Amino acid sequence: MRINTIIDYFMVLALIFISGNIVFQNKISLFIVFILATGLFFYRKSKFDVSFVYFLVGLMVILILQTFKFNFFPVLTFAGVFVRILIAYFILKSVVDFPDKFVKVMYYLTLISFIFYIPIVLIPGFSDILIEKLLLYVQEGDYMQSRYSIMGLYTIVPGYEMRNSGAFWEMGAFGGFLLLSLIISYLKKAELYNRTNIVLIIAILTTQSSTAYIVLLLFLAFIFNREVKNILLKIILFFSLISIGYIAYTNLDFLGKKIEKQFEEARELAKLPNLEEADSGRFASILKDWRDFQGHELIGRGPNELTRFTTIYSTGKVVDIRTVGSTDVIVRFGLPFFITMLFFMYKSFSMYSRYHWKNGDYMGISIVLLILLLLTSEIYFSNPLFWITLMLHYTIVENKKESIIENKKRKQENKFYNLNN
């Protein structure tokens, strides 16, 4: 394996780990990867895309307006926002065939997760042995479940050992990263039943994440609707998927009961004038975000916690959390910016799928809907990786440039050959 390929895979792994691994989700790791990504970007003479620069300028304008509105300039917080976006962009632009390498890294991380997950499920007390012998890092907090990182490759969440969390902070997050990998893998080759995709689907099922299950079912529905041409067969498949979804919803506790419980809790919270220290489930988070959003529709409340949340605590420490990624972005940066993100996301996936198999608009819209569903369970855009969902089309631009250069070289070589013959 060439040194450039090794560097590529290392940078992809670094992007994944600073985005989802509790050992590396810290400012030091973020800064180191940013320096490496920046160096690689300029060393390989990559160029900025004009639309991406406009996107950054628009975000900068929003942050400046927030500074005047709140008379508050959290320079480190603002810098952190740009650092996360730029890390994703620099690595995506610098790594040769980034989508393919991203899927491969996720595939091998998934296989590694099975090495830990299967014995934990089959052998009572095996998770305790792993924590005792191979513990690398513990994440603890007053308002979160403790998490134990085993060698930086697998995360054990006490009480949820029967669910596969992989190398990520929790099971739902692993499901989100797996689904993003599955989507990109399918878009490139337009085939579902290959070894990589089957492994990813099996891993999604082992997460037992309600959101991941729903998104997977809809993704399969979108695929079947595109690939199946017979109307009768489409109807049969449609009702089959509906039936599977209904059976799973009514029989799996982490689907039906969990969602209904969260919804009922949110209905009760809606009656309260103050939601401090209330439940952080998805519906409750949406309710809190709606109240935070009111009066800040255009430019949002900002990414810093002291303006982001409705209540500003006298201690300067905010103890509230949010779990819905879409409404979190809307509250932080305003509705117009979120709509711009959706446009970039649609453009990203539609151009990527059109480039590989001539079907862009349908899959572009479908995948935007899937990403929105994924965001109901995690605030993915607080980390670098999911920003690539807005940038995949830039890899297509690079591929086209490379193709043009290669064609020119071939023409020159053919011309030289003809002259000498």
Side-chain angles (χ1 to χ4, degrees):
M1 186 180 290
R2 298 190 316 172
I3 184 65
N4 286 336
T5 304
I6 294 173
I7 292 172
D8 284 351
Y9 278 110
F10 173 80
M11 294 306 298
V12 173
L13 182 64
L15 174 61
I16 293 171
F17 271 19
I18 63 171
S19 301
N21 189 294
I22 61 174
V23 178
F24 300 95
Q25 282 184 307
N26 53 68
K27 293 178 181 178
I28 295 175
S29 298
L30 189 72
F31 179 74
I32 291 173
V33 175
F34 175 68
I35 295 298
L36 293 174
T38 304
L40 186 65
F41 179 83
F42 288 104
Y43 175 77
R44 292 186 172 176
K45 299 180 180 179
S46 301
K47 294 182 180 179
F48 282 97
D49 297 277
V50 175
S51 60
F52 178 71
V53 174
Y54 287 153
F55 179 81
L56 292 182
V57 171
L59 178 58
M60 186 178 297
V61 169
I62 289 173
L63 296 181
I64 291 171
L65 292 175
Q66 290 175 351
T67 299
F68 286 111
K69 180 175 183 178
F70 297 106
N71 193 27
F72 180 57
F73 183 57
V75 60
L76 292 179
T77 304
F78 288 173
V81 173
F82 285 102
V83 163
R84 287 167 172 80
I85 297 173
L86 287 171
I87 285 175
Y89 180 77
F90 286 159
I91 293 178
L92 178 122
K93 290 282 290 186
S94 305
V95 170
V96 178
D97 199 359
F98 171 87
D100 183 63
K101 288 184 172 65
F102 168 68
V103 172
K104 285 182 179 178
V105 172
M106 283 299 304
Y107 170 76
Y108 285 110
L109 287 176
T110 301
L111 293 180
I112 291 172
S113 78
F114 290 151
I115 295 174
F116 294 97
Y117 173 71
I118 293 173
I120 287 174
V121 172
L122 297 178
I123 305 173
F126 190 73
S127 60
D128 295 329
I129 296 173
L130 290 175
I131 292 173
E132 181 182 349
K133 302 295 184 181
L134 300 175
L135 180 65
L136 178 65
Y137 179 77
V138 181
Q139 184 184 70
E140 295 180 322
D142 296 333
Y143 301 96
M144 66 175 65
Q145 177 76 41
S146 296
R147 296 173 171 86
Y148 299 87
S149 178
I150 307 303
M151 302 173 63
L153 298 173
Y154 190 83
T155 305
I156 294 175
V157 184
Y160 298 91
E161 289 87 353
M162 302 302 288
R163 299 173 60 185
N164 188 356
S165 56
F168 300 86
W169 73 82
E170 68 173 19
M171 298 67 65
F174 188 29
F177 280 70
L178 287 167
L179 279 159
L180 181 59
S181 307
L182 179 64
I183 288 169
I184 293 175
S185 176
Y186 177 79
L187 289 185
K188 186 166 185 179
K189 296 182 179 179
E191 60 180 36
L192 186 63
Y193 304 109
N194 58 46
R195 182 179 60 185
T196 297
N197 292 348
I198 290 173
V199 168
L200 293 175
I201 290 172
I202 292 172
I204 290 169
L205 296 177
T206 64
T207 65
Q208 299 182 40
S209 164
S210 56
T211 303
Y213 276 38
I214 293 169
V215 174
L216 176 62
L217 190 65
L218 283 176
F219 182 54
L220 295 177
F222 290 143
I223 291 174
F224 292 149
N225 183 61
R226 186 193 74 84
E227 293 185 350
V228 176
K229 305 303 180 183
N230 185 284
I231 298 298
L232 178 60
L233 187 55
K234 276 190 177 185
I235 295 173
I236 293 173
L237 286 172
F238 174 78
F239 282 104
S240 297
L241 288 172
I242 291 293
S243 300
I244 292 171
Y246 176 77
I247 292 170
Y249 182 86
T250 54
N251 289 276
L252 297 177
D253 291 344
F254 61 86
L255 274 175
K257 290 184 179 179
K258 177 182 175 181
I259 293 173
E260 290 171 8
K261 178 183 177 182
Q262 290 181 346
F263 183 73
E264 287 301 319
E265 289 174 347
R267 286 184 60 186
E268 293 300 318
L269 289 174
K271 305 172 185 178
L272 302 177
N274 194 313
L275 299 180
E276 287 183 30
E277 300 181 3
D279 175 74
S280 60
R282 74 192 69 197
F283 297 113
S285 286
I286 292 173
L287 179 60
K288 292 179 182 181
D289 285 340
W290 169 247
R291 294 191 180 183
D292 290 342
F293 173 69
Q294 294 175 347
H296 307 277
E297 292 83 0
L298 293 180
I299 62 172
R301 300 182 65 102
N304 190 277
E305 290 183 342
L306 291 179
T307 58
R308 160 66 179 87
F309 298 99
T310 297
T311 301
I312 299 179
Y313 296 82
S314 58
T315 60
K317 181 180 179 181
V318 178
V319 297
D320 210 347
I321 61 172
R322 298 291 189 270
T323 59
V324 178
S326 53
T327 55
D328 180 71
V329 171
I330 293 172
V331 174
R332 290 177 187 271
F333 304 111
L335 186 59
F337 180 78
F338 182 70
I339 293 173
T340 302
M341 287 179 60
L342 294 182
F343 170 75
F344 268 78
M345 196 182 298
Y346 163 75
K347 184 177 180 181
S348 173
F349 285 110
S350 61
M351 285 185 64
Y352 189 80
S353 58
R354 187 181 297 115
Y355 177 80
H356 287 290
W357 42 277
K358 315 297 182 185
N359 193 334
D361 294 336
Y362 173 77
M363 291 309 295
I365 294 173
S366 300
I367 293 168
V368 168
L369 293 174
L370 297 178
I371 298 296
L372 285 173
L373 278 173
L374 279 179
L375 289 172
T376 61
S377 65
E378 304 286 352
I379 51 174
Y380 289 111
F381 285 103
S382 292
N383 299 305
L385 180 68
F386 262 71
W387 288 99
I388 70 168
T389 59
L390 283 64
M391 306 172 186
L392 274 180
H393 58 294
Y394 296 136
T395 65
I396 302 306
V397 173
E398 289 298 314
N399 287 337
K400 286 183 177 180
K401 289 179 180 177
E402 290 174 3
S403 297
I404 292 172
I405 293 171
E406 287 296 322
N407 288 333
K408 286 183 178 179
K409 286 182 178 179
R410 290 195 189 101
K411 288 180 181 179
Q412 290 175 351
E413 290 172 356
N414 291 335
K415 184 177 180 182
F416 180 78
Y417 177 80
N418 292 330
L419 289 173
N420 286 274
N421 287 276

